[in-house]
Each structure stands twice: as C-alpha cells, then as structure tokens.
PDB file of all heavy atoms in Angstrom:
ATOM      1  N   ALA A   1      65.263 113.494  79.684  1.00  0.00           N
ATOM      2  CA  ALA A   1      65.552 112.938  78.359  1.00  0.00           C
ATOM      3  C   ALA A   1      66.335 111.632  78.490  1.00  0.00           C
ATOM      4  O   ALA A   1      67.239 111.552  79.331  1.00  0.00           O
ATOM      5  CB  ALA A   1      66.339 113.953  77.534  1.00  0.00           C
ATOM      6  N   GLU A   2      65.958 110.647  77.728  1.00  0.00           N
ATOM      7  CA  GLU A   2      66.677 109.407  77.727  1.00  0.00           C
ATOM      8  C   GLU A   2      67.778 109.398  76.684  1.00  0.00           C
ATOM      9  O   GLU A   2      67.587 109.896  75.561  1.00  0.00           O
ATOM     10  CB  GLU A   2      65.642 108.258  77.434  1.00  0.00           C
ATOM     11  CG  GLU A   2      66.173 106.906  77.731  1.00  0.00           C
ATOM     12  CD  GLU A   2      65.106 105.838  77.566  1.00  0.00           C
ATOM     13  OE1 GLU A   2      64.299 105.627  78.500  1.00  0.00           O
ATOM     14  OE2 GLU A   2      65.075 105.226  76.489  1.00  0.00           O
ATOM     15  N   TYR A   3      68.915 108.906  77.078  1.00  0.00           N
ATOM     16  CA  TYR A   3      70.007 108.831  76.060  1.00  0.00           C
ATOM     17  C   TYR A   3      70.810 107.550  76.304  1.00  0.00           C
ATOM     18  O   TYR A   3      70.778 106.932  77.363  1.00  0.00           O
ATOM     19  CB  TYR A   3      70.947 110.059  76.156  1.00  0.00           C
ATOM     20  CG  TYR A   3      71.692 110.230  77.436  1.00  0.00           C
ATOM     21  CD1 TYR A   3      73.032 109.838  77.528  1.00  0.00           C
ATOM     22  CD2 TYR A   3      71.114 110.748  78.583  1.00  0.00           C
ATOM     23  CE1 TYR A   3      73.750 109.972  78.712  1.00  0.00           C
ATOM     24  CE2 TYR A   3      71.812 110.904  79.737  1.00  0.00           C
ATOM     25  CZ  TYR A   3      73.135 110.515  79.791  1.00  0.00           C
ATOM     26  OH  TYR A   3      73.819 110.649  80.962  1.00  0.00           O
ATOM     27  N   VAL A   4      71.521 107.131  75.264  1.00  0.00           N
ATOM     28  CA  VAL A   4      72.244 105.876  75.272  1.00  0.00           C
ATOM     29  C   VAL A   4      73.684 106.143  75.660  1.00  0.00           C
ATOM     30  O   VAL A   4      74.336 107.029  75.097  1.00  0.00           O
ATOM     31  CB  VAL A   4      72.152 105.198  73.892  1.00  0.00           C
ATOM     32  CG1 VAL A   4      73.024 103.908  73.906  1.00  0.00           C
ATOM     33  CG2 VAL A   4      70.742 104.863  73.530  1.00  0.00           C
ATOM     34  N   VAL A   5      74.197 105.358  76.592  1.00  0.00           N
ATOM     35  CA  VAL A   5      75.614 105.413  76.983  1.00  0.00           C
ATOM     36  C   VAL A   5      76.253 104.165  76.336  1.00  0.00           C
ATOM     37  O   VAL A   5      76.049 103.064  76.799  1.00  0.00           O
ATOM     38  CB  VAL A   5      75.777 105.373  78.515  1.00  0.00           C
ATOM     39  CG1 VAL A   5      77.268 105.358  78.893  1.00  0.00           C
ATOM     40  CG2 VAL A   5      75.068 106.555  79.151  1.00  0.00           C
ATOM     41  N   ASP A   6      76.998 104.407  75.259  1.00  0.00           N
ATOM     42  CA  ASP A   6      77.600 103.309  74.536  1.00  0.00           C
ATOM     43  C   ASP A   6      78.867 102.768  75.204  1.00  0.00           C
ATOM     44  O   ASP A   6      79.106 101.584  75.270  1.00  0.00           O
ATOM     45  CB  ASP A   6      77.983 103.722  73.108  1.00  0.00           C
ATOM     46  CG  ASP A   6      76.745 103.941  72.253  1.00  0.00           C
ATOM     47  OD1 ASP A   6      75.731 103.287  72.506  1.00  0.00           O
ATOM     48  OD2 ASP A   6      76.802 104.764  71.343  1.00  0.00           O
ATOM     49  N   PHE A   7      79.711 103.658  75.653  1.00  0.00           N
ATOM     50  CA  PHE A   7      80.986 103.240  76.238  1.00  0.00           C
ATOM     51  C   PHE A   7      80.885 103.335  77.759  1.00  0.00           C
ATOM     52  O   PHE A   7      80.597 104.377  78.322  1.00  0.00           O
ATOM     53  CB  PHE A   7      82.123 104.131  75.742  1.00  0.00           C
ATOM     54  CG  PHE A   7      82.443 103.911  74.303  1.00  0.00           C
ATOM     55  CD1 PHE A   7      81.817 104.626  73.300  1.00  0.00           C
ATOM     56  CD2 PHE A   7      83.355 102.928  73.950  1.00  0.00           C
ATOM     57  CE1 PHE A   7      82.132 104.414  71.953  1.00  0.00           C
ATOM     58  CE2 PHE A   7      83.629 102.671  72.631  1.00  0.00           C
ATOM     59  CZ  PHE A   7      83.040 103.414  71.631  1.00  0.00           C
ATOM     60  N   LEU A   8      81.141 102.230  78.403  1.00  0.00           N
ATOM     61  CA  LEU A   8      81.053 102.152  79.863  1.00  0.00           C
ATOM     62  C   LEU A   8      82.446 102.250  80.473  1.00  0.00           C
ATOM     63  O   LEU A   8      83.434 101.779  79.917  1.00  0.00           O
ATOM     64  CB  LEU A   8      80.424 100.801  80.254  1.00  0.00           C
ATOM     65  CG  LEU A   8      79.032 100.566  79.669  1.00  0.00           C
ATOM     66  CD1 LEU A   8      78.568  99.152  79.971  1.00  0.00           C
ATOM     67  CD2 LEU A   8      78.059 101.585  80.257  1.00  0.00           C
ATOM     68  N   PRO A   9      82.557 102.864  81.670  1.00  0.00           N
ATOM     69  CA  PRO A   9      83.866 102.975  82.321  1.00  0.00           C
ATOM     70  C   PRO A   9      84.359 101.632  82.786  1.00  0.00           C
ATOM     71  O   PRO A   9      83.629 100.806  83.336  1.00  0.00           O
ATOM     72  CB  PRO A   9      83.580 103.905  83.476  1.00  0.00           C
ATOM     73  CG  PRO A   9      82.129 103.803  83.738  1.00  0.00           C
ATOM     74  CD  PRO A   9      81.491 103.476  82.431  1.00  0.00           C
ATOM     75  N   LYS A  10      85.654 101.362  82.526  1.00  0.00           N
ATOM     76  CA  LYS A  10      86.319 100.146  82.907  1.00  0.00           C
ATOM     77  C   LYS A  10      87.717 100.497  83.373  1.00  0.00           C
ATOM     78  O   LYS A  10      88.180 101.634  83.221  1.00  0.00           O
ATOM     79  CB  LYS A  10      86.447  99.161  81.717  1.00  0.00           C
ATOM     80  CG  LYS A  10      85.143  98.749  81.103  1.00  0.00           C
ATOM     81  CD  LYS A  10      84.369  97.794  81.978  1.00  0.00           C
ATOM     82  CE  LYS A  10      83.079  97.365  81.286  1.00  0.00           C
ATOM     83  NZ  LYS A  10      82.327  96.451  82.101  1.00  0.00           N
ATOM     84  N   ILE A  11      88.412  99.535  83.949  1.00  0.00           N
ATOM     85  CA  ILE A  11      89.817  99.675  84.354  1.00  0.00           C
ATOM     86  C   ILE A  11      90.620  98.637  83.556  1.00  0.00           C
ATOM     87  O   ILE A  11      90.228  97.471  83.550  1.00  0.00           O
ATOM     88  CB  ILE A  11      90.024  99.420  85.864  1.00  0.00           C
ATOM     89  CG1 ILE A  11      89.243 100.457  86.698  1.00  0.00           C
ATOM     90  CG2 ILE A  11      91.494  99.456  86.231  1.00  0.00           C
ATOM     91  CD1 ILE A  11      89.802 101.868  86.634  1.00  0.00           C
ATOM     92  N   ARG A  12      91.701  99.058  82.990  1.00  0.00           N
ATOM     93  CA  ARG A  12      92.631  98.112  82.311  1.00  0.00           C
ATOM     94  C   ARG A  12      93.855  97.970  83.164  1.00  0.00           C
ATOM     95  O   ARG A  12      94.529  98.925  83.465  1.00  0.00           O
ATOM     96  CB  ARG A  12      93.017  98.602  80.929  1.00  0.00           C
ATOM     97  CG  ARG A  12      93.980  97.602  80.250  1.00  0.00           C
ATOM     98  CD  ARG A  12      94.375  98.006  78.879  1.00  0.00           C
ATOM     99  NE  ARG A  12      95.147  99.251  78.928  1.00  0.00           N
ATOM    100  CZ  ARG A  12      95.208 100.138  77.940  1.00  0.00           C
ATOM    101  NH1 ARG A  12      94.580  99.917  76.813  1.00  0.00           N
ATOM    102  NH2 ARG A  12      95.925 101.220  78.073  1.00  0.00           N
ATOM    103  N   LEU A  13      94.131  96.719  83.593  1.00  0.00           N
ATOM    104  CA  LEU A  13      95.322  96.419  84.349  1.00  0.00           C
ATOM    105  C   LEU A  13      96.331  95.777  83.450  1.00  0.00           C
ATOM    106  O   LEU A  13      95.989  94.924  82.616  1.00  0.00           O
ATOM    107  CB  LEU A  13      94.984  95.445  85.490  1.00  0.00           C
ATOM    108  CG  LEU A  13      93.998  95.875  86.540  1.00  0.00           C
ATOM    109  CD1 LEU A  13      93.711  94.782  87.515  1.00  0.00           C
ATOM    110  CD2 LEU A  13      94.509  97.104  87.255  1.00  0.00           C
ATOM    111  N   GLU A  14      97.600  96.203  83.587  1.00  0.00           N
ATOM    112  CA  GLU A  14      98.702  95.593  82.848  1.00  0.00           C
ATOM    113  C   GLU A  14      99.709  95.068  83.863  1.00  0.00           C
ATOM    114  O   GLU A  14     100.152  95.827  84.689  1.00  0.00           O
ATOM    115  CB  GLU A  14      99.314  96.613  81.913  1.00  0.00           C
ATOM    116  CG  GLU A  14      98.355  97.075  80.820  1.00  0.00           C
ATOM    117  CD  GLU A  14      98.934  98.168  79.992  1.00  0.00           C
ATOM    118  OE1 GLU A  14      98.854  99.344  80.399  1.00  0.00           O
ATOM    119  OE2 GLU A  14      99.491  97.871  78.889  1.00  0.00           O
ATOM    120  N   ILE A  15     100.010  93.803  83.750  1.00  0.00           N
ATOM    121  CA  ILE A  15     100.956  93.158  84.689  1.00  0.00           C
ATOM    122  C   ILE A  15     101.903  92.291  83.845  1.00  0.00           C
ATOM    123  O   ILE A  15     101.427  91.495  83.023  1.00  0.00           O
ATOM    124  CB  ILE A  15     100.180  92.252  85.669  1.00  0.00           C
ATOM    125  CG1 ILE A  15      99.031  93.058  86.316  1.00  0.00           C
ATOM    126  CG2 ILE A  15     101.069  91.630  86.694  1.00  0.00           C
ATOM    127  CD1 ILE A  15      97.811  92.225  86.643  1.00  0.00           C
ATOM    128  N   VAL A  16     103.192  92.414  84.106  1.00  0.00           N
ATOM    129  CA  VAL A  16     104.169  91.559  83.461  1.00  0.00           C
ATOM    130  C   VAL A  16     104.715  90.604  84.514  1.00  0.00           C
ATOM    131  O   VAL A  16     105.178  91.056  85.563  1.00  0.00           O
ATOM    132  CB  VAL A  16     105.307  92.376  82.810  1.00  0.00           C
ATOM    133  CG1 VAL A  16     106.355  91.450  82.222  1.00  0.00           C
ATOM    134  CG2 VAL A  16     104.731  93.285  81.734  1.00  0.00           C
ATOM    135  N   VAL A  17     104.593  89.282  84.244  1.00  0.00           N
ATOM    136  CA  VAL A  17     105.060  88.289  85.191  1.00  0.00           C
ATOM    137  C   VAL A  17     105.873  87.208  84.459  1.00  0.00           C
ATOM    138  O   VAL A  17     105.844  87.099  83.250  1.00  0.00           O
ATOM    139  CB  VAL A  17     103.822  87.613  85.879  1.00  0.00           C
ATOM    140  CG1 VAL A  17     103.050  88.620  86.708  1.00  0.00           C
ATOM    141  CG2 VAL A  17     102.896  86.916  84.873  1.00  0.00           C
ATOM    142  N   SER A  18     106.555  86.397  85.244  1.00  0.00           N
ATOM    143  CA  SER A  18     107.264  85.263  84.682  1.00  0.00           C
ATOM    144  C   SER A  18     106.223  84.217  84.270  1.00  0.00           C
ATOM    145  O   SER A  18     105.094  84.209  84.757  1.00  0.00           O
ATOM    146  CB  SER A  18     108.243  84.670  85.692  1.00  0.00           C
ATOM    147  OG  SER A  18     107.541  84.086  86.762  1.00  0.00           O
ATOM    148  N   GLU A  19     106.628  83.330  83.399  1.00  0.00           N
ATOM    149  CA  GLU A  19     105.659  82.295  82.882  1.00  0.00           C
ATOM    150  C   GLU A  19     105.152  81.438  83.998  1.00  0.00           C
ATOM    151  O   GLU A  19     104.042  80.931  83.908  1.00  0.00           O
ATOM    152  CB  GLU A  19     106.336  81.500  81.776  1.00  0.00           C
ATOM    153  CG  GLU A  19     106.666  82.355  80.579  1.00  0.00           C
ATOM    154  CD  GLU A  19     106.829  81.596  79.304  1.00  0.00           C
ATOM    155  OE1 GLU A  19     106.241  80.496  79.174  1.00  0.00           O
ATOM    156  OE2 GLU A  19     107.486  82.120  78.412  1.00  0.00           O
ATOM    157  N   ASP A  20     105.958  81.260  85.067  1.00  0.00           N
ATOM    158  CA  ASP A  20     105.521  80.404  86.178  1.00  0.00           C
ATOM    159  C   ASP A  20     104.339  81.042  86.939  1.00  0.00           C
ATOM    160  O   ASP A  20     103.576  80.319  87.597  1.00  0.00           O
ATOM    161  CB  ASP A  20     106.689  80.193  87.161  1.00  0.00           C
ATOM    162  CG  ASP A  20     107.862  79.488  86.511  1.00  0.00           C
ATOM    163  OD1 ASP A  20     107.609  78.809  85.506  1.00  0.00           O
ATOM    164  OD2 ASP A  20     108.998  79.622  87.001  1.00  0.00           O
ATOM    165  N   ASP A  21     104.212  82.335  86.900  1.00  0.00           N
ATOM    166  CA  ASP A  21     103.217  83.058  87.710  1.00  0.00           C
ATOM    167  C   ASP A  21     101.903  83.317  86.916  1.00  0.00           C
ATOM    168  O   ASP A  21     100.935  83.836  87.529  1.00  0.00           O
ATOM    169  CB  ASP A  21     103.745  84.376  88.223  1.00  0.00           C
ATOM    170  CG  ASP A  21     104.846  84.153  89.236  1.00  0.00           C
ATOM    171  OD1 ASP A  21     104.840  83.116  89.918  1.00  0.00           O
ATOM    172  OD2 ASP A  21     105.713  85.048  89.339  1.00  0.00           O
ATOM    173  N   VAL A  22     101.841  83.008  85.643  1.00  0.00           N
ATOM    174  CA  VAL A  22     100.711  83.407  84.824  1.00  0.00           C
ATOM    175  C   VAL A  22      99.408  82.787  85.313  1.00  0.00           C
ATOM    176  O   VAL A  22      98.392  83.500  85.526  1.00  0.00           O
ATOM    177  CB  VAL A  22     100.935  83.071  83.318  1.00  0.00           C
ATOM    178  CG1 VAL A  22      99.683  83.269  82.511  1.00  0.00           C
ATOM    179  CG2 VAL A  22     102.087  83.873  82.737  1.00  0.00           C
ATOM    180  N   GLU A  23      99.357  81.491  85.515  1.00  0.00           N
ATOM    181  CA  GLU A  23      98.130  80.820  85.937  1.00  0.00           C
ATOM    182  C   GLU A  23      97.603  81.338  87.234  1.00  0.00           C
ATOM    183  O   GLU A  23      96.412  81.631  87.410  1.00  0.00           O
ATOM    184  CB  GLU A  23      98.307  79.328  86.001  1.00  0.00           C
ATOM    185  CG  GLU A  23      97.978  78.538  84.752  1.00  0.00           C
ATOM    186  CD  GLU A  23      96.730  78.945  84.013  1.00  0.00           C
ATOM    187  OE1 GLU A  23      95.623  78.929  84.621  1.00  0.00           O
ATOM    188  OE2 GLU A  23      96.846  79.356  82.877  1.00  0.00           O
ATOM    189  N   ARG A  24      98.515  81.483  88.246  1.00  0.00           N
ATOM    190  CA  ARG A  24      98.077  81.989  89.564  1.00  0.00           C
ATOM    191  C   ARG A  24      97.556  83.375  89.429  1.00  0.00           C
ATOM    192  O   ARG A  24      96.572  83.752  90.111  1.00  0.00           O
ATOM    193  CB  ARG A  24      99.245  81.959  90.557  1.00  0.00           C
ATOM    194  CG  ARG A  24      99.713  80.578  90.933  1.00  0.00           C
ATOM    195  CD  ARG A  24     100.806  80.567  91.987  1.00  0.00           C
ATOM    196  NE  ARG A  24     101.852  81.581  91.756  1.00  0.00           N
ATOM    197  CZ  ARG A  24     102.212  82.430  92.718  1.00  0.00           C
ATOM    198  NH1 ARG A  24     101.650  82.436  93.901  1.00  0.00           N
ATOM    199  NH2 ARG A  24     103.132  83.325  92.440  1.00  0.00           N
ATOM    200  N   CYS A  25      98.188  84.199  88.607  1.00  0.00           N
ATOM    201  CA  CYS A  25      97.784  85.587  88.454  1.00  0.00           C
ATOM    202  C   CYS A  25      96.393  85.694  87.786  1.00  0.00           C
ATOM    203  O   CYS A  25      95.531  86.396  88.242  1.00  0.00           O
ATOM    204  CB  CYS A  25      98.825  86.321  87.607  1.00  0.00           C
ATOM    205  SG  CYS A  25      98.619  88.101  87.536  1.00  0.00           S
ATOM    206  N   VAL A  26      96.206  84.893  86.744  1.00  0.00           N
ATOM    207  CA  VAL A  26      94.926  84.895  86.040  1.00  0.00           C
ATOM    208  C   VAL A  26      93.810  84.420  86.989  1.00  0.00           C
ATOM    209  O   VAL A  26      92.726  85.003  87.063  1.00  0.00           O
ATOM    210  CB  VAL A  26      94.958  84.041  84.746  1.00  0.00           C
ATOM    211  CG1 VAL A  26      93.593  83.786  84.181  1.00  0.00           C
ATOM    212  CG2 VAL A  26      95.878  84.725  83.709  1.00  0.00           C
TER     213      VAL A  26
END
C-alpha cells in the first residue's frame, strides 16, 4: 500500500553564541 509521509525527520540544533561568533557559526 502506498501512503504519504507528510512530516520528515529532522534535527533542530540550538546554539547560543556571542555576536562576534554568529557569522562563523552560520
């Protein structure tokens, strides 16, 4: 049987950094 998978598995990362590190981190 064919079925639709609407929600795909992902990983959410949360990182808090100083403003100086934002660009390098991204």
Side-chain angles (χ1 to χ4, degrees):
E2 194 173 276
Y3 65 101
V4 177
V5 177
D6 289 332
F7 289 92
L8 301 173
K10 301 287 182 180
I11 298 290
R12 179 178 64 206
L13 299 177
E14 295 175 276
I15 308 148
V16 176
V17 297
S18 67
E19 296 202 25
D20 298 338
D21 293 332
V22 172
E23 268 317 300
R24 292 183 320 126
C25 190
V26 168

